[in-house]
Amino acid sequence: QKTTIISEDDGMDVNDLLFLKTSSGNYSVFSDLKEIAIDHYNLFHTLLTDMANGRFRGLKRFSDNNAIQGMMEVKYNQARITFIPMSKDKYVILDMFIKKTQVDAAYQAALKNKYDLFKENYSVISNLMFNDEYLEENRKVLDSLLSTLEKDTKVKKLGGFDE
């Protein structure tokens, strides 16, 4: 499934992943991580690395939720990352989670909260998304996140198979 913004070409173009800050100035993605069992870390490491390299596994656009405009999702097994494209190579990460068997009210509320956080961050992100310092700060967040997620990948290396 392709969209006008996302292109799955040769993977040579590098995408910038941008992360939401909470009102206390922390990156919300690290809170998400606390809810994820360590044995799932490798799935999120793969999804984030793929996104940064221009590959979007199991891409889905949310069309049935009017409260959340423009949100998309990538998935790998039960791992999900929701995000919003800001430009052809800039993507705001909203949420990382393990999908339960059914979508429940708590899940919908959590997504809505992340979307509200995105709206709070929108003017800052849209003003700074081409600022080198801001982009570098977000690359460091990604590096830190990937480093944390690698805690499990040393035990289990994923093969080169596709989902």
Side-chain angles (χ1 to χ4, degrees):
Q1 193 175 351
K2 295 189 180 204
T3 70
T4 52
I5 294 179
I6 297 174
S7 63
E8 293 194 41
D9 50 277
D10 55 13
M12 294 306 289
D13 296 325
V14 177
N15 291 323
D16 285 304
L17 304 183
L18 309 175
F19 298 93
L20 296 177
K21 279 189 177 180
T22 63
S23 55
S24 61
N26 299 317
Y27 288 97
S28 67
V29 73
F30 292 106
S31 302
D32 299 342
L33 212 51
K34 292 176 187 164
E35 307 296 318
I36 297 168
I38 198 165
D39 56 332
H40 294 299
Y41 278 17
N42 58 337
L43 301 174
F44 290 98
H45 188 281
T46 299
L47 283 173
L48 287 166
T49 304
D50 282 357
M51 286 179 75
N53 291 323
R55 181 162 181 234
F56 295 79
R57 286 178 188 251
L59 183 65
K60 173 180 138 186
R61 180 186 297 274
F62 283 72
S63 55
D64 57 346
N65 194 331
N66 294 332
I68 300 174
Q69 297 297 319
M71 187 168 75
M72 304 180 90
E73 175 186 87
V74 287
K75 65 181 180 180
Y76 187 21
N77 293 343
Q78 294 303 101
R80 302 288 189 273
I81 296 177
T82 54
F83 65 96
I84 293 185
M86 295 291 287
S87 74
K88 71 177 179 60
D89 61 352
K90 310 261 186 288
Y91 302 90
V92 178
I93 303 299
L94 294 183
D95 202 2
M96 300 191 324
F97 59 96
I98 294 295
K99 184 166 177 13
K100 307 288 187 261
T101 49
Q102 80 276 358
V103 174
D104 59 13
Y107 161 80
Q108 290 292 345
L111 276 183
K112 177 82 173 75
N113 287 342
K114 286 297 172 83
Y115 186 71
D116 290 344
L117 184 61
F118 166 73
K119 288 195 296 191
E120 288 169 26
N121 278 260
Y122 180 80
S123 63
V124 171
I125 293 170
S126 57
N127 286 326
L128 292 177
M129 68 183 200
F130 297 104
N131 174 293
D132 290 337
E133 226 171 90
Y134 177 75
L135 294 175
E136 185 55 35
E137 180 185 328
N138 278 276
R139 283 184 202 111
K140 286 178 181 167
V141 173
L142 178 61
D143 289 345
S144 173
L145 187 57
L146 291 175
S147 172
T148 303
L149 291 169
E150 280 170 7
K151 288 178 182 163
D152 184 53
T153 55
K154 289 176 178 57
V155 182
K156 277 192 286 231
K157 263 296 183 208
L158 291 178
F161 56 88
D162 282 343
E163 263 289 275

